[in-house]
Structures are given as C-alpha cells and as structure tokens.
Amino acid sequence: MPELPEVESVCRALEGDLAGRRIRSVRLFTPDVAAHPDAETFCAALQGRTFLKLRRRGKFLIAALDDGARLVVHLRMTGRLLLVCGTDDLETHTRAAFLLDNGRELRFVDMRRFGRLWLLRAGEEDVFTGMANLGPEPDSPGLNAAYLRAACGRSRRAIKTCLLDQSVVAGIGNIYSDEILFEAGVCPDRPACSLTDAEWTRLAQCIPAVMDFFTRQNIVTAEEYRNTAGKEYRNTPWLRVYGHAGEPCPRCGTPLARIVVGGRSSVFCPACQAAPQEDNARADGQET
C-alpha cells in the first residue's frame, strides 16, 4: 500500500506535467470510484477545468483547479495514477481517465477497487474525504514528545496501532511504522501507556527522520515514473526490518520476529526492541 513517501513521489513525478493542463473530458469506467459527487456530476464539473497545482496531505493527493475546486485522490491498496498518450490502450483495471488538452490522459488504475476520487467544489466543506481528521504531518514542528504522549500516552492500544492511526500522525502505514519502531527501539505490541519519556522522545525524533529518509529514496523523475507505469517504488533495498522476518537483525544479529498487531503483520527485533520489565509493570496501573 502506498504510504506517505510513495504518495509524495507520485505527487512530484506528476505535478510538472499536470500544471496548466486543461481537462477536455472525463470517463469513469467504474462509476463508484467517484465517491463525491455522483458520477455524472463529477464528470460534468471537471470538464474544461485546468490543473493548477498538485500537493499531498497524508496519503491523499489534492489537485487544485482553476475554479477553486479540488480533485482529491486516495490510492488505497493498489491505486496508481498514470500519465500516458490518450490513444494508448487502456490498462487492465483502469477506473477513470482524464483527457488533457495536449492529447495525454491521466488515468487512475486500481486492481482492488479500494481507491477513491472526490471533487470538492469551491467553498464546499470537506465532510467526505476524511482529511479533516488527519493528524500532523511527520515533519510538523508540533509533532514532538509532548504531543505524542498527550495523544497516546494514556492508551493501552499497541504503540504500532497508535502510529497507524491517521488522526495521530498522517501518512504512516504498516511498512514505515515497523521501520520507525525499530529505529526507536520500541516493540510494536507495547501498550502506548507503557512508554517512558525517553521512548516518546526517541519516537518523536525517529518519525520525521525515517519518513524523510524513505521519501528521499523514493523520489523518481517524471520520465522514470512513466517508464515504470507508476509501479516501482525504491524503498525495498533500504528496509531494515519490514519484510525481513527470520533474517538477522541489522544491529545485533538476533533473528527478526514476526507478530500480528491489530491485524497487521509486524516485524521487530526481540533483543533491540525488548520492553523493560518495569515499564510493563507500570502499564498495568494506567487508564485505557
């Protein structure tokens, strides 16, 4: 699933080619991909509009249009945005296509059909996408130890579950939560209320550092993005724990373990991310 670094890569790869381009027509091959408004209104409202700027918020892509409207995209599990020649054959699982004034076409391809598009018209309150409930970005100055402790420190939820909560921090998913917790030396199934002040401080430092590192590794040129049809992300060589269960820990050599936390596969080092016994005891006396 694309997380913040991958979505940022898509944003940067497409923005230059979309800015200033006018939408000649819109086709929805799967009408319910348009979550708001209805498919007919969605297509009609976008026809003739011009892309001004593309930006990212959490895992959302937001395209500003010349009439003040915003086209919002969430890739979810398998969504991809492709910019191709308008005469190219449609790729399997193409859900929507935006024909541009230069003959190219922006296509939304999604094998599992979880991705969604929204059109928010000028002045329309966003009660549709969920962006209003997002927490701060990982690089926000306000994302510090005090904020994390206030948001999660009284919860008995696993700390990984807290990191996956988009209302706590925007943009972190299953992959990078494992990487962040490894860097911070915190086991993913630790109750958040058991973390020490030092651990909250390490988490506040590791969240922006890890997300920035992987964002930089994932950046591709517009040409590279086109040549790989938006399928290739560059995080794999740099992942230290995610996807490496059973392999030696890159720090201490202990075999990495896999557990399930909140229904999500999680990989960690039992030695480097061991919970101090006194912290576990303290968690027993905290509120849920």
Side-chain angles (χ1 to χ4, degrees):
M1 175 180 181
E3 301 180 23
L4 184 157
E6 291 79 24
V7 178
E8 180 67 24
S9 178
V10 174
C11 182
R12 297 190 193 185
L14 292 178
E15 183 179 17
D17 287 330
L18 288 180
R21 298 267 65 92
R22 184 172 58 84
I23 301 170
R24 290 171 54 185
S25 63
V26 180
R27 295 181 290 169
L28 295 182
F29 303 101
T30 307
D32 64 3
V33 72
H36 173 77
D38 63 88
E40 183 178 355
T41 305
F42 180 91
C43 294
L46 281 167
Q47 187 171 342
R49 300 276 56 86
T50 297
F51 286 109
L52 299 182
K53 183 177 178 58
L54 188 64
R55 66 182 180 90
R56 178 198 56 76
R57 175 72 170 106
K59 301 177 190 178
F60 292 86
L61 286 166
I62 306 125
L65 304 172
D66 62 334
D67 64 345
R70 291 163 289 162
L71 174 63
V72 181
V73 181
H74 201 303
L75 303 175
R76 299 280 170 83
M77 294 291 292
T78 58
R80 288 180 289 135
L81 283 172
L82 309 179
L83 191 57
V84 300
C85 178
T87 58
D88 286 357
D89 291 339
L90 289 176
E91 185 168 332
T92 305
H93 310 303
T94 300
R95 308 299 176 189
F98 304 80
L99 181 62
L100 306 179
D101 58 358
N102 60 354
R104 300 175 78 182
E105 199 163 52
L106 178 67
R107 295 175 179 172
F108 182 64
V109 180
D110 187 9
M111 181 178 68
R112 298 188 66 179
R113 295 183 58 174
F114 294 151
R116 288 292 180 268
L117 312 175
W118 298 264
L119 179 63
L120 304 174
R121 282 156 287 193
E124 183 174 18
E125 183 182 359
D126 181 9
V127 295
F128 308 100
T129 69
M131 286 193 297
N133 299 320
L134 292 178
E137 293 285 317
D139 62 354
S140 169
L143 201 156
N144 51 35
Y147 166 78
L148 291 173
R149 189 187 306 109
C152 311
R154 297 179 67 84
S155 175
R156 293 191 62 84
R157 293 191 300 170
I159 185 58
K160 174 164 181 169
T161 302
C162 293
L163 292 184
L164 294 177
D165 184 341
Q166 299 300 293
S167 70
V168 175
V169 186
I172 299 175
N174 201 42
I175 296 172
Y176 300 116
S177 57
D178 277 1
E179 296 297 311
I180 289 166
L181 290 167
F182 176 72
E183 291 300 321
V186 178
C187 188
D189 66 353
R190 284 270 303 279
C193 60
S194 74
L195 269 63
T196 65
D197 289 347
E199 288 171 324
W200 287 120
T201 297
R202 288 204 302 274
L203 266 183
Q205 295 167 344
C206 291
I207 289 171
V210 168
M211 298 304 276
D212 176 68
F213 173 80
F214 281 101
T215 297
R216 287 185 283 108
Q217 300 310 316
N218 270 290
I219 295 303
V220 296
T221 66
E223 182 179 8
E224 289 171 326
Y225 186 82
R226 287 193 297 270
N227 290 341
T228 62
K231 294 179 180 178
E232 182 178 315
Y233 298 121
R234 297 184 171 183
N235 59 12
T236 304
W238 308 99
L239 295 172
R240 305 188 74 187
V241 291
Y242 181 85
H244 293 287
E247 298 178 22
C249 169
R251 281 205 189 108
C252 71
T254 300
L256 296 173
R258 177 188 177 275
I259 57 175
V260 176
V261 179
R264 310 296 294 274
S265 176
S266 305
V267 180
F268 71 104
C269 175
C272 295
Q273 294 170 260
Q277 291 301 311
E278 60 269 23
D279 294 338
N280 288 331
R282 184 191 307 151
D284 292 337
Q286 300 290 322
E287 291 185 24
T288 301

